[in-house]
Amino acid sequence: MPRLEKPLTLKSIFDFYIQHRNPSKDETRKAESFFEEFMKSVGVKTIREVTCDMVHDYKDKYWNEYKERDLSYHWLRGRFTKVKTVLNYSKKYGRTNKNELSRVLDWCKCLSVTADDATEQAQPIEREDVHKLFKVADLRLRTIMLLGLNCGYYAKDIHDLKKTMIKHKNG
């Protein structure tokens, strides 16, 4: 049998993701927070030590918190997706411990949330509520809200928008 590879730590998997993927500050902050929660939950240092029960316990912990606190579907889905993304990145682009990463990723299939699982339903914003928001918002926030509502932009799209991209009338 071939010799076992040097154990790959969960911390080094995360560091590899950050160094090679070079995500934005916001994505880095979320990834760090979510993957740290995963590492604390499983309670081991290396990918080799992770068991199926640990992954399921992690899922159950955050699934229960999601249900008890009546949190957003995106709150839960973001956590689960980011953990799988970090592990997948190491498996795809890393050079070691591919079998162990595959094994853990196979167990991580339970870390999924479908829209059917979500209890929330989209609710339209009442006209009066929109006007209340506009009254308390400054010019910058009103502009952001109008772009989001009228152009169907996400917050990230608005953030990346440059002044030169907006057509001005009379300056």
Side-chain angles (χ1 to χ4, degrees):
M1 285 183 64
R3 288 178 26 187
L4 283 175
E5 296 172 297
K6 182 180 174 186
L8 188 61
T9 66
L10 294 172
K11 177 78 171 112
S12 65
I13 290 170
F14 177 76
D15 291 341
F16 178 78
Y17 172 78
I18 295 300
Q19 290 167 1
H20 289 86
R21 175 114 185 344
N22 197 18
S24 67
K25 286 182 182 179
D26 186 49
E27 187 181 343
T28 299
R29 180 185 54 78
K30 287 179 184 176
E32 185 173 19
S33 174
F34 299 160
F35 203 74
E36 194 171 291
E37 290 173 353
F38 176 74
M39 290 189 298
K40 283 182 183 176
S41 183
V42 295
V44 294
K45 293 205 182 287
T46 66
I47 194 74
R48 187 175 293 159
E49 298 171 284
V50 176
T51 66
C52 183
D53 286 338
M54 290 174 184
V55 174
H56 280 275
D57 290 345
Y58 166 75
K59 180 198 111 187
D60 292 343
K61 176 183 178 182
Y62 286 97
W63 186 267
N64 291 336
E65 185 174 349
Y66 158 73
K67 290 290 189 186
E68 288 170 8
R69 293 177 49 199
D70 195 30
L71 295 167
S72 165
Y73 151 79
H74 300 286
W75 179 89
L76 185 62
R77 192 179 111 219
R79 278 168 168 65
F80 290 172
T81 302
K82 191 51 70 177
V83 167
K84 292 189 290 187
T85 299
V86 171
L87 293 171
N88 258 321
Y89 192 85
S90 187
K91 179 187 172 201
K92 187 173 183 178
Y93 297 106
R95 297 179 184 221
T96 63
N97 299 86
K98 302 261 188 188
N99 290 335
E100 291 163 0
L101 285 162
S102 293
R103 176 179 53 86
V104 173
L105 279 165
D106 195 39
W107 294 331
C108 285
K109 287 179 183 172
C110 72
L111 302 179
S112 63
V113 184
T114 62
D116 296 337
D117 295 331
T119 57
E120 66 184 66
Q121 295 294 324
Q123 299 293 323
I125 300 172
E126 296 295 328
R127 185 178 189 92
E128 297 80 29
D129 293 334
V130 172
H131 287 290
K132 286 178 189 176
L133 285 172
F134 283 143
K135 283 181 184 176
V136 297
D138 62 6
L139 179 63
R140 184 179 145 274
L141 289 176
R142 277 195 302 262
T143 305
I144 290 170
M145 285 189 283
L146 285 170
L147 280 168
L149 293 170
N150 291 326
C151 300
Y153 283 2
Y154 290 104
K156 177 68 174 141
D157 299 330
I158 296 169
H159 177 269
D160 292 344
L161 197 64
K162 295 182 178 18
K163 274 187 175 180
T164 57
M165 296 175 174
I166 301 171
K167 184 176 180 179
H168 296 272
K169 288 186 179 178
N170 301 328

